[in-house]
Amino acid sequence: MQTRNLIASFALGIALTAIPVLQSHALEEKTPNLYNFTGYNSKGEKVSINYSASSITGKPLFNYQDQKQTLNFQGDEIRTVEMEIGTLVTVTIKKTVDTGFTTFSLLIPHVNLGYSNEVKIVTNGITTLNRFSTIPQFNQGQKQTYTIIHLKGTAQAVAF
């Protein structure tokens, strides 16, 4: 009987000692740095997005691909804003001299990978048409219009 109590006390001691270790690991947050998405625009055309918050050079990388173009951005060409709803990552996908420009913004939700190196996520991309005219009288009314693209993909933690 004494041996059984001693074993039970020993086992309980190990369990109580292990609890703080397990809790400390559960509280660690592992943030992804690589995102890959696909979705379809309003015309039913496939759009692919790859965003890396860093790279081997230390600069962020962003790849935008639709049926008409493949665009690659790096460093200062990529603009990020941290917000309560996530991180907004924006690139300029079309420039014109006299009528405006088009941007694409990726909304990246807050993600904790936990014990995994990859999780599936869903989010939205926003294509913004920013119009302007060289004729001041034409610069009235709504100057931006938005198209939302629903995106599915993965968030990963990778070492560069």
Side-chain angles (χ1 to χ4, degrees), residues 92 94-103 128-135 138-140 142-145:
T92 302
K94 184 178 178 185
K95 297 176 188 177
T96 59
V97 177
D98 57 354
T99 60
F101 60 99
T102 304
T103 59
T128 305
L129 298 174
N130 301 275
R131 69 170 186 88
F132 70 86
S133 175
T134 55
I135 302 168
F138 294 159
N139 286 323
Q140 297 179 24
Q142 183 173 343
K143 296 170 81 173
Q144 295 173 310
T145 56

Side-chain angles (χ1 to χ4, degrees), residues 5-25:
N5 287 342
L6 184 60
I7 292 171
S9 295
F10 180 72
L12 181 60
I14 290 174
L16 291 175
T17 305
I19 288 172
V21 172
L22 293 174
Q23 287 176 341
S24 68
H25 286 296

